[in-house]
Amino acid sequence: MKGVDRRIFCTDLTDRSAIFGGAKELEKLLRERAEAGAKLIFAVTACVPGIIGDDVEGVCARVSSETGAEIIPVLTDGIMNGGATQGRDIAYAAICRLVDMSVRPEENTVNLIGYAEEPDRGFRKADECMKLIGGLGLNINCRFLHENTADEVRMLKKGGINLMYRSSLACRKEAGCLEKLTGIPFYPDAMPVGIRQTEEWIEGFGSFMKVPEERRKALSAEFRKEFDELSGKYRDALAGSTCLIYVVTTSEIGWLMEILGVLGMKAVGICCPTENRWSMVDRRSVEGLGVPVEYDVDFDRLREKISSEKPDCLIGSSIMISRAEIPHIYISRPLPGVAGGFEFAKRLVRMAQVSRL
């Protein structure tokens, strides 16, 4: 699975195959890959094999028995097996067939679920995940799924608990799916972002893992010191300016409000395009902020808000902000820790300087 982008091969079914069946093409390709030295092959179906009823499982079993390669069918054709959401679950189930269920958890060892390397170099350098986990005296067994080898997946149960790297419904669903398939429980709170979340997570997860109190306090103090030092660098850099926030979810903006407080920038409103379970709206997370919140805000309503509130800039996690006629900056949830929030602060200050807010 490592370097999977260079290890994807296709049967390239033709119109004739779609009429008379594509089993021959599949068998030919599987044998070619096995003869080339592949020890593990996932045969993932698209729509056509599902429509015409190809016996993918039978072909995989036959070629596997004759070549010795481990071939796992992943029936995600979208015809008999549902859509993208079901396909994701089917893929996890297929991958988890590799997990050695006899492996015992190692002490102070965890898995990271939903990990993906940040493509932005600045934010990638601000990832403090290892500082958080290592600071509690814990080790990471597997970053699932991130360019894993088959052996890394087989040893997944060395991690006694799964940690969600990101806070999203998809990541939470993945963690729940893995718990059902492998028996590895997941910690309910995702890796933290911002100083308040970080301090609470260190205390909560540290206590859960029976990390000594003095170690938990020392790590919290280290992050608090980092936050205070970075705050000093950006304190009141945008004092007197205002912004309107347009985010997909209100459940993950605590870190943003912390950064705006440091910068001295006032939020005149928080808007969300939808309010449903997929956007993970959390009204409690914005209570007490003193900032008006409005849900189900489409772009026309957003323009009305911009016209009435007259903010200096728009901060948002929806691509619709690119249509705004005022300075705007896109945000996503920073990586774990406190440094990622200040990477955003640096970019917001730079935008303000260019836009002469």
Side-chain angles (χ1 to χ4, degrees), residues 59-76:
V59 172
C60 290
R62 182 170 63 255
V63 176
S64 179
S65 65
E66 294 176 1
T67 64
E70 185 173 6
I71 303 176
I72 299 177
V74 187
L75 306 182
T76 55

Side-chain angles (χ1 to χ4, degrees), residues 169-336:
L169 194 63
C171 191
R172 188 169 297 276
K173 193 174 188 302
E174 179 181 343
C177 185
L178 285 176
E179 181 173 17
K180 181 180 178 181
L181 292 167
T182 67
I184 305 173
F186 68 94
Y187 190 67
D189 296 330
M191 297 292 294
V193 174
I195 187 60
R196 182 185 64 81
Q197 269 194 15
T198 295
E199 290 177 334
E200 291 177 353
W201 187 89
I202 289 172
E203 179 58 30
F205 184 63
S207 298
F208 177 81
M209 295 297 289
K210 296 181 173 55
V211 175
E213 182 180 5
E214 58 271 20
R215 185 159 197 163
R216 302 196 307 264
K217 288 185 175 180
L219 185 59
S220 289
E222 186 177 345
F223 274 97
R224 172 57 68 173
K225 180 182 178 182
E226 179 187 11
F227 180 83
D228 290 343
E229 289 176 350
L230 289 170
S231 294
K233 183 177 180 180
Y234 292 98
R235 181 73 64 190
D236 293 332
L238 298 178
S241 58
T242 61
C243 68
L244 180 64
I245 301 172
Y246 189 60
V247 287
V248 174
T249 175
T250 54
S251 68
E252 284 296 323
I253 62 170
W255 68 271
L256 176 59
M257 303 310 293
E258 290 174 356
I259 293 299
L260 294 180
V262 169
L263 293 171
M265 174 175 268
K266 179 183 178 182
V268 297
I270 301 172
C271 302
C272 290
T274 58
E275 181 180 12
N276 56 46
R277 65 186 295 266
W278 294 102
S279 62
M280 296 179 68
V281 163
D282 182 3
R283 290 179 178 271
R284 293 171 300 176
S285 66
V286 291
E287 289 178 356
L289 291 178
V291 181
V293 183
E294 185 175 337
Y295 299 95
D296 298 319
V297 177
D298 60 16
F299 187 70
D300 289 335
R301 175 58 182 154
L302 180 63
R303 285 196 296 188
E304 292 175 2
K305 294 283 289 184
I306 292 173
S307 177
S308 62
E309 299 294 342
K310 295 180 171 52
D312 293 310
C313 70
L314 180 63
I315 298 173
S317 60
S318 169
I319 59 174
M320 279 204 294
I321 68 169
S322 62
R323 298 167 59 190
E325 297 177 356
I326 63 171
H328 52 270
I329 186 169
Y330 181 83
I331 60 168
S332 59
R333 185 181 190 265
L335 300 181

